[in-house]
Amino acid sequence: MIRIRLRRFASQYFGWLVRFFYICFIDFQLKISDKPIILILTPGKVGSSSLYFNLKKNLKNPIYHVHRISKLGIGQSKEEHLKSDRKSLPLHLIISEILHEKIIRNRTNLIVITVIREPISRFVSSYFQNIEFYKNRVESSNLKINIDASLEILKENCTANICYELENWFATEIKQFFDIDVFGLELNSPCVILKELPFIFLRLEDLQQAWPLVANELSLSKDNANLKDFNVGDNKYYSSAYSQIREQFKLEEDIFEEIIETKFYKKFYSDRIKLVRKKWVKTS
């Protein structure tokens, strides 16, 4: 609990120092490396930590994991965080700001990897990642999470908008910034690899199958081509509440139908509707 409070205090009052450190650190990284920047650019909470840590362990490239890289997206995300109960910026957004200009200058020496996740599962996970947005409403003084209040927030916000937001994310961060239309991609393998940028696109649910293709594209040796699991979520202070929420949260059938009728769901997750309905939809 003390560690969480210290982190929140530091991010709110010493963000300028964190920014200065990472400006220096990233400048140093890019100056000493002639290898391409690997940018893992994903919507939040898609479960890409295993991908990130495996690449960090096995490659010498500068590797960054962020959720925004466009000026518009960074600006919108900053406003959301500063208006929330959090009142400060997360580290990944500070790094996004620093990387924005550097990525523009280094597009010829860049590899982009984007991972997506089934939207309802991602939404529930994202709630806990962004729990500080609602901390005045759901956290007690000892950081215990109010399950009922959390379920109420999830029910209020789990609508078709969770997919519209993903569609907007791709329009801003991938289409406008890199001129790649993911909705025009042919998804006939565990991952899509476009050589021009290069750009690697995959679903979290296909990560194990896709990993050999990713490893080959990034020239990992065969000794390092096995994907090791890095599950950081189990170590979070909210892990117990997260487990309870995953068991208790259920959607009404009509809301689920609206979600699966979106462009995003039809394109990327039409093959998993039966499984997702069983997991997340309320039974009579």
Side-chain angles (χ1 to χ4, degrees):
M1 186 168 71
I2 293 174
R3 182 174 61 83
I4 298 298
R5 293 192 183 283
L6 284 173
R7 178 181 61 77
R8 290 180 178 179
F9 178 82
S11 65
Q12 188 165 358
Y13 297 103
F14 293 95
W16 61 272
L17 187 59
V18 173
R19 183 186 303 275
F20 176 75
F21 170 81
Y22 276 95
I23 287 173
C24 297
F25 178 69
I26 291 172
D27 276 341
F28 176 73
Q29 275 191 315
L30 298 183
K31 282 178 181 176
I32 66 171
S33 176
D34 59 355
K35 296 181 179 294
I37 297 169
I38 296 178
L39 184 70
I40 302 175
L41 176 62
T42 70
K45 296 310 293 179
V46 297
S48 51
S49 57
S50 289
L51 174 65
Y52 173 71
F53 286 114
N54 274 277
L55 295 182
K56 286 282 285 186
K57 181 178 179 181
N58 296 313
L59 293 172
K60 302 298 183 183
N61 304 60
I63 303 174
Y64 307 103
H65 185 194
V66 297
H67 306 312
R68 293 287 188 177
I69 199 63
S70 71
K71 187 174 182 179
L72 175 61
I74 292 170
Q76 290 175 340
S77 191
K78 283 178 65 176
E79 184 177 2
E80 290 170 3
H81 280 86
L82 294 175
K83 283 185 175 180
S84 73
D85 291 348
R86 180 189 177 106
K87 305 300 181 188
S88 63
L89 302 183
L91 178 59
H92 67 80
L93 196 51
I94 293 173
I95 292 175
S96 290
E97 284 195 291
I98 298 168
L99 284 177
H100 174 78
E101 294 298 330
K102 299 183 185 301
I103 294 299
I104 289 175
R105 293 198 298 268
N106 289 279
R107 287 197 189 195
T108 57
N109 200 29
L110 175 69
I111 300 169
V112 178
I113 304 176
T114 293
V115 183
I116 59 172
R117 181 182 184 181
E118 191 281 311
I120 301 172
S121 299
R122 174 191 172 268
F123 171 75
V124 175
S125 181
S126 181
Y127 166 74
F128 282 93
Q129 177 68 21
N130 294 305
I131 196 75
E132 293 175 40
F133 272 49
Y134 311 100
K135 62 186 178 69
N136 293 343
R137 182 173 170 183
V138 303
E139 281 187 359
S140 64
S141 58
N142 64 356
L143 298 183
K144 184 177 180 180
I145 306 297
N146 185 309
I147 301 298
D148 290 337
S150 294
L151 286 169
E152 190 62 33
I153 290 171
L154 289 171
K155 289 175 183 177
E156 289 172 4
N157 293 283
C158 192
T159 67
N161 284 336
I162 66 174
C163 291
Y164 299 145
E165 289 169 1
L166 288 167
E167 292 170 17
N168 289 335
W169 185 91
F170 276 103
T172 302
E173 305 304 321
I174 304 298
K175 175 61 176 171
Q176 293 179 21
F177 200 79
F178 295 110
D179 196 26
I180 294 172
D181 179 13
V182 296
F183 292 97
L185 298 177
E186 291 294 328
L187 307 179
N188 50 15
S189 70
C191 71
V192 177
I193 300 174
L194 303 181
K195 299 290 187 178
E196 307 88 72
L197 183 55
F199 177 69
I200 301 173
F201 178 80
L202 64 143
R203 305 190 307 183
L204 173 69
E205 295 79 7
D206 300 324
L207 180 56
Q208 287 289 342
Q209 292 175 279
W211 178 248
L213 299 172
V214 175
N216 181 67
E217 179 67 18
L218 299 178
S219 302
L220 269 68
S221 68
K222 290 186 178 180
D223 292 338
N224 295 324
N226 293 323
L227 182 68
K228 296 180 180 179
D229 186 38
F230 290 85
N231 189 354
V232 297
D234 289 344
N235 299 322
K236 299 289 188 179
Y237 75 96
Y238 53 68
S239 58
S240 176
Y242 182 32
S243 297
Q244 292 181 63
I245 293 292
R246 283 187 298 182
E247 291 298 318
Q248 296 181 35
F249 178 62
K250 298 296 178 182
L251 284 171
E252 298 291 344
E253 177 68 31
D254 60 333
I255 299 298
F256 180 71
E257 289 294 331
E258 290 178 6
I259 290 172
I260 64 176
E261 283 299 310
T262 61
K263 177 181 177 181
F264 183 91
Y265 219 100
K266 285 182 174 180
K267 175 66 179 182
F268 300 117
Y269 283 97
S270 60
D271 62 322
R272 300 183 69 86
I273 289 175
K274 186 176 180 179
L275 288 172
V276 177
R277 176 181 273 110
K278 184 177 180 181
K279 179 177 178 61
W280 293 116
V281 176
K282 184 186 296 185
T283 56
S284 55

